[in-house]
Amino acid sequence: VQLQAFGGGLVQAGDSLRLSCAASGRTFTNHVMGWFRQAPGKEREFVSSITWNLGTTYYADSVKGRFTISRDGAKNTVDLQMNTLKPEDTAVYYCAARRSAARNFHYWGQGTQVTVSS
């Protein structure tokens, strides 16, 4: 299984970015796809997730109303649209996947850096 994250960059506060995760190596039905992030000196934290089958979404309180996760079954991609970015959103963002019945995410992609300047 390969998860490749794209789309990070340097933006100003208030700007938008769209991250994309290309998933390959298996079908992802009955899986949950997620985005996590890790800021310097902090632990990795959950950002958002989506169930592949039904598209049910979950968000961390810190991004609710600003970020939107979506998946494209035809392209096998999971996107994270990030609006109204804040300096505290600065982090390395990782995409991940787990089987629906699993408790922990066990497939991880490489990270993509998002830097938001004030």
Side-chain angles (χ1 to χ4, degrees):
V1 173
Q2 273 199 320
L3 302 174
Q4 292 186 295
F6 304 94
L10 172 62
V11 297
Q12 293 187 330
D15 285 351
S16 298
L17 265 181
R18 189 176 185 90
L19 304 183
S20 185
C21 176
S24 61
R26 65 164 300 132
T27 57
F28 289 90
T29 52
N30 299 317
H31 278 68
V32 178
M33 312 299 290
W35 285 95
F36 291 75
R37 66 187 182 187
Q38 187 167 20
K42 295 188 177 180
E43 292 192 353
R44 186 169 58 195
E45 65 175 0
F46 169 80
V47 175
S48 181
S49 65
I50 185 167
T51 62
W52 194 267
N53 293 4
L54 296 179
T56 304
T57 59
Y58 302 90
Y59 297 94
D61 288 342
S62 59
V63 306
K64 207 170 289 184
R66 299 187 297 122
F67 290 11
T68 303
I69 191 170
S70 60
R71 88 268 189 252
D72 186 324
K75 296 180 181 178
N76 249 25
T77 56
V78 179
D79 289 356
L80 185 69
Q81 177 66 41
M82 306 185 295
N83 297 329
T84 319
L85 283 162
K86 304 175 181 180
E88 50 263 43
D89 295 318
T90 295
V92 177
Y93 284 70
Y94 299 89
C95 62
R98 63 171 173 86
R99 291 182 295 275
S100 297
R103 182 173 181 177
N104 298 315
F105 285 81
H106 42 268
Y107 298 124
W108 291 88
Q110 92 292 355
T112 185
Q113 176 71 47
V114 172
T115 303
V116 184
S117 63
S118 57

